[in-house]
Amino acid sequence: MGSCKVPYSVLLLCFFVGSLLVPQCLSIGDDANQTAFLLVNASEALGRPIPETLFGIFFEEINHAGAGGLWAELVSNRGFEAGGPDIPSNIDPWSIIGDEDSSLTLSTDRSSCFEHNKVALRMEVLCDTEGTNICPAGGVGIYNPGFWGMNIEKGKKYKVVLYVRSSGAINVSVSLTGPNGLETLATHDIIASFRDVATWTKMEVVLEANASNPNSRLQLTTTRKGVIWFDQVSAMPMETYKGHGFRSDLVDMLADLKPKFIRFPGGCFVEGEWLRNAFRWKATIGPWEERPGHFGDVWMYWTDDGLGYFEFLQLSEDLGALPVWVFNSGISHNDQVNTSNVMPFVQEALDSIEFARGYPNSTWGSIRAAMGHPEPFDLRHVALGNEDCGKKNYRGNYVKFYNAIKKAYPDIKIITNCNRFSQKLDHPADFYDYHVYKTAKDMFSLAHLFDLASRNGAKAFVSEYAVTRKHAGKGNLLAALAEAAFLIGIEQNSDIVRMACYARLFVNDNDRRWSPDAIVFNSSQLYGTPSYWAQHFFRESSSATVLHSTLLTNTSTSLIASAIMWNNTDDGKSYLRIKIVNFWNNTVNLKISVDGLEPNSIQLSGSNKTELTSGNLMDENSFKEPKKVNPNQNPLENAGKDMDVVLLPYSLTAFDLLKGSSNIRTARTDSFSRSSF
Ligand code: AHR
């Protein structure tokens, strides 16, 4: 007889029984080289469908994520309103070109033609083309440096819109220049008679850049004496994501994550430090010129609200993700509305839902239609408040919102801020919010957080998770691995955790309010942190099937694994994906055994291995080295039902095994029993 090959599953059993009876019966390596076993049952009948919306993204207006980030508007404080509705207003970062004593004076008044944002800039030019006070050759006027510099690219076009009126005829140069105004990248003169600009007039100019500079500015200059008023000055790149005003390179990064939902617009941003500064959706819709903008007093900056409620819904649709709309429940960080007075807030919420999905002839649906979107948006989830459960009026307010929304829109899923871990829910909800900010070590342990959670009642929405605090840096490998372990736990508990998203998504490197973040950018550059890349390993999980798997190891606290079956819509093929986090500093030899597949049903060609690791656990990406910690994919040479693989120290590895077409089973079953995990 030839030698008898012992199946891995039998070896695995031996290991399991042996380690119970005689712990040392199998040699499983020394400290520097461990062996572990993973048994996967590929039978989808024993697996469980993962919700279609398990993994998404959370966008908060924090770190200039939207204003000066995702929203492609180049001008900061375009309506000169940043100081509020009273005058004198704060025109920062607009600045003067010329000498304040001899060539021009600037002030603000409330003469704008826009009812909700009356502040306009008044520019009195003292010098002239002739006489005793000659203007400098380049003219005098104002410039806006945008959000830490405008990224102007050679050959690209930019649309500048501005509202102007004057005491006489005008000749104003609209220019894109380098940071000190010396290099002109594009320019156009607006020449108009007094009759044309005696009252507020909209002017539009398209500028094509003849050179590039990531630190450019917009200038409005003249050499003619007189008084000119400016208001609502905008400069937008002509090329934006799907023509909808979003910065394409940033949205591409989001699209690459294949998010199934977007939670927006906060976070604390929704609440405000004070209610008067909270996000009010009605002030963020309609023509951009008519939006008053507001000061977000939690993250302490002004937003012109170009990225408003409509744009968030549009972004969700553009990404094929469901919107998850978080609105204020009458509660901020420091003040709250009594439940007896909360009905106006409830009506605001109802109106917002009608805006998103009402008929085009409904009161609020008609405004959406007028904005170019007659079809309803696919709004199915709303969250009432953010981290407000402990506030005195939350429960009372919540119930009023809940009842009114369910009455008008019974299908809408409602998310409460009260999580069922700390207390039993005393109010109805479809989901409960759960926020997890931990050290890496604690986050890794939390992979099992939901194992024992009650399976009844409201489902969990982990709407903010991240490794922060100790050793998290600005986003390093350590944090990414711990988060990946946590997500593996979520995948395995996706019968109770139905949605999860990382916080925070974006940071403009010039305004770091919070670190780490998933995507770092400035005016022209961007990169994903390791946490961003770790999420790539989970982008096929929503709608997949999580399989039964058993991991046996004597390093049980430092390895965590899961297996899913997913269908690739790009190539129409079916893959078994095994993901493993090795959270310690030694190599692990892993024996993988896959049961429940027909013989030879795994194809060598097309199967691959993807690893996320780096030379140092604390390694971070940067503008200089954007892909220092980046997934690395290679063909899987020994793809098969039984495989010996090596897990690198401190790594996240995915093995994608391409299934043969004869063996693809897509039928789902609900007969999954949790206890089998
Ligand atoms: O992500 C930053 C803040 O952290 C969010 O606004 C808030 O929900 C959480 O406390």
Side-chain angles (χ1 to χ4, degrees):
M1 273 174 72
S3 68
C4 172
K5 195 177 170 214
V6 184
Y8 273 31
S9 45
V10 173
L11 271 179
L12 202 150
L13 193 67
C14 167
F15 171 73
F16 182 61
V17 173
S19 59
L20 284 179
L21 300 177
V22 192
Q24 302 306 321
C25 85
L26 283 178
S27 167
I28 52 168
D30 55 24
D31 268 1
N33 205 11
Q34 294 288 349
T35 298
F37 296 85
L38 180 70
L39 179 61
V40 176
N41 192 320
S43 158
E44 290 185 72
L46 286 179
R48 179 180 4 87
I50 297 178
E52 285 169 23
T53 52
L54 184 58
F55 292 124
I57 52 178
F58 164 43
F59 178 93
E60 175 162 18
E61 183 58 88
I62 180 174
N63 301 325
H64 276 86
L70 190 65
W71 190 243
E73 173 62 68
L74 295 168
V75 175
S76 172
N77 192 11
R78 64 188 175 194
F80 307 98
E81 233 73 47
D86 299 322
I87 51 166
S89 185
N90 182 2
I91 65 166
D92 188 68
W94 288 95
S95 297
I96 196 166
I97 301 171
D99 179 64
E100 219 170 350
D101 293 325
S102 59
S103 48
L104 80 165
T105 59
L106 296 182
S107 58
T108 47
D109 63 23
R110 290 183 42 83
S111 68
S112 169
C113 54
F114 298 111
E115 275 314 303
H116 300 297
N117 40 8
K118 292 301 292 178
V119 175
L121 183 81
R122 180 181 186 276
M123 178 171 100
E124 181 165 3
V125 179
L126 308 171
C127 59
D128 209 345
T129 43
E130 53 189 22
T132 51
N133 186 8
I134 305 279
C135 290
V140 298
I142 52 174
Y143 73 85
N144 189 296
F147 301 88
W148 303 281
M150 299 176 179
N151 183 36
I152 302 300
E153 294 175 83
K154 185 177 176 177
K156 295 211 170 156
K157 293 184 177 163
Y158 301 85
K159 182 163 149 189
V160 179
V161 177
L162 55 107
Y163 288 77
V164 64
R165 80 181 168 97
S166 176
S167 59
I170 60 167
N171 185 342
V172 173
S173 300
V174 179
S175 317
L176 293 167
T177 74
N180 51 17
L182 296 178
E183 181 196 13
T184 301
L185 309 176
T187 190
H188 179 90
D189 293 339
I190 296 179
I191 299 169
S193 66
F194 174 52
R195 219 180 48 177
D196 290 339
V197 289
T199 56
W200 283 107
T201 306
K202 181 180 185 179
M203 300 283 182
E204 273 188 34
V205 168
V206 173
L207 298 175
E208 183 170 341
N210 56 33
S212 298
N213 194 320
N215 196 16
S216 304
R217 67 191 207 184
L218 175 75
Q219 296 192 166
L220 304 175
T221 51
T222 185
T223 52
R224 182 176 289 195
K225 189 173 177 168
V227 181
I228 306 177
W229 285 262
F230 292 115
D231 197 14
Q232 299 304 334
V233 183
S234 161
M236 285 287 267
M238 299 282 278
E239 276 173 34
T240 59
Y241 192 80
K242 298 197 177 183
H244 289 150
F246 309 109
R247 197 174 130 177
S248 294
D249 54 351
L250 293 177
V251 186
D252 285 342
M253 294 276 285
L254 301 184
D256 223 20
L257 284 176
K258 303 185 182 167
K260 296 297 181 266
F261 66 84
I262 307 183
R263 175 180 184 243
F264 67 84
C268 299
F269 180 73
V270 165
E271 305 166 87
E273 282 302 323
W274 298 96
L275 280 171
R276 61 174 298 173
N277 294 319
F279 182 82
R280 296 291 166 84
W281 72 271
K282 283 183 186 169
T284 72
I285 58 164
W288 60 268
E289 300 96 320
E290 293 173 19
R291 301 182 191 181
H294 81 288
F295 180 74
D297 63 353
V298 178
W299 308 122
M300 301 298 281
Y301 59 91
W302 173 262
T303 58
D304 289 319
D305 287 328
L307 179 55
Y309 180 48
F310 175 90
E311 287 75 20
F312 283 118
L313 293 166
Q314 184 66 65
L315 177 67
S316 311
E317 185 177 272
D318 288 350
L319 288 172
L322 290 178
V324 179
W325 163 223
V326 187
F327 47 70
N328 189 297
S329 59
I331 296 175
S332 79
H333 286 179
N334 293 297
D335 55 350
Q336 35 188 313
V337 174
N338 279 331
T339 298
S340 54
N341 296 329
V342 85
M343 280 322 276
F345 282 75
V346 174
Q347 191 55 50
E348 285 283 297
L350 291 172
D351 292 347
S352 74
I353 300 172
E354 183 179 288
F355 177 86
R357 44 184 264 182
Y359 290 116
N361 58 1
S362 61
T363 308
W364 290 100
S366 66
I367 297 175
R368 182 197 69 235
M371 292 180 74
H373 203 288
E375 311 79 25
F377 287 108
D378 196 4
L379 178 66
R380 302 185 204 172
H381 301 86
V382 297
L384 309 188
N386 174 69
E387 296 182 345
D388 290 327
C389 182
K391 309 268 172 62
K392 184 165 76 75
N393 297 333
Y394 183 74
R395 284 178 169 72
N397 290 5
Y398 175 94
V399 169
K400 286 209 169 176
F401 276 96
Y402 182 93
N403 290 339
I405 293 170
K406 283 286 183 184
K407 190 169 168 208
Y409 303 97
D411 63 300
I412 287 237
K413 301 283 183 242
I414 298 182
I415 303 157
T416 173
N417 289 176
C418 301
N419 82 62
R420 287 174 56 224
F421 273 90
S422 42
Q423 70 253 82
K424 199 164 175 279
L425 272 193
D426 56 4
H427 51 268
D430 297 295
F431 292 89
Y432 63 95
D433 243 342
Y434 198 84
H435 294 182
V436 190
Y437 292 108
K438 295 285 177 196
T439 61
K441 189 165 161 267
D442 289 347
M443 185 66 89
F444 183 85
S445 317
L446 287 182
H448 298 290
L449 176 70
F450 289 96
D451 289 2
L452 299 175
S454 160
R455 268 37 210 178
N456 305 318
K459 306 292 184 200
F461 177 13
V462 179
S463 66
E464 298 184 26
Y465 74 87
V467 169
T468 54
R469 308 171 199 182
K470 228 173 148 189
H471 308 316
K474 289 181 178 174
N476 52 30
L477 176 66
L478 172 71
L481 295 180
E483 286 154 8
F486 180 67
L487 293 186
I488 285 177
I490 283 189
E491 213 169 68
Q492 291 186 330
N493 283 288
S494 55
D495 59 323
I496 176 71
V497 186
R498 311 293 284 186
M499 302 166 98
C501 48
Y502 176 87
R504 282 106 341 228
L505 189 57
F506 285 122
V507 61
N508 185 319
D509 198 41
N510 296 287
D511 183 32
R512 273 189 182 272
R513 303 277 155 161
W514 266 87
S515 287
D517 308 87
I519 299 168
V520 184
F521 64 89
N522 57 26
S523 75
S524 61
Q525 298 165 291
L526 72 168
Y527 66 87
T529 59
S531 295
Y532 171 83
W533 292 112
Q535 290 175 58
H536 272 236
F537 287 68
F538 294 84
R539 55 189 185 164
E540 279 82 22
S541 297
S542 305
S543 296
T545 300
V546 64
L547 302 173
H548 181 282
S549 61
T550 310
L551 181 66
L552 291 176
T553 169
N554 68 345
T555 58
S556 55
T557 54
S558 59
L559 281 188
I560 183 155
S562 73
I564 63 165
M565 194 69 81
W566 64 281
N567 295 317
N568 187 341
T569 45
D570 292 339
D571 63 13
K573 292 178 179 161
S574 198
Y575 291 82
L576 169 65
R577 170 172 295 175
I578 295 164
K579 294 190 287 290
I580 307 163
V581 173
N582 179 14
F583 202 60
W584 79 324
N585 64 355
N586 285 310
T587 299
V588 174
N589 298 315
L590 180 71
K591 292 180 180 298
I592 299 177
S593 176
V594 182
D595 277 353
L597 285 180
E598 287 165 18
N600 303 321
S601 58
I602 290 174
Q603 298 185 11
L604 209 53
S605 156
S607 294
N608 52 53
K609 174 171 86 164
T610 312
E611 290 168 307
L612 182 72
T613 189
S614 192
N616 190 310
L617 192 53
M618 297 298 161
D619 276 351
E620 299 183 359
N621 292 331
S622 62
F623 290 128
K624 238 180 170 171
E625 286 183 283
K627 296 210 168 161
K628 183 173 187 174
V629 189
N630 189 41
N632 184 16
Q633 190 172 85
N634 287 300
L636 186 56
E637 310 287 357
N638 60 341
K641 287 167 65 183
D642 295 314
M643 298 185 294
D644 283 328
V645 297
V646 171
L647 305 177
L648 298 175
Y650 286 120
S651 62
L652 164 62
T653 309
F655 300 96
D656 277 296
L657 305 176
L658 173 58
K659 275 177 67 183
S661 51
S662 63
N663 199 39
I664 294 176
R665 278 177 283 165
T666 50
R668 293 253 176 118
T669 174
D670 289 334
S671 64
F672 176 80
S673 141
R674 252 203 52 76
S675 59
S676 58
F677 268 97

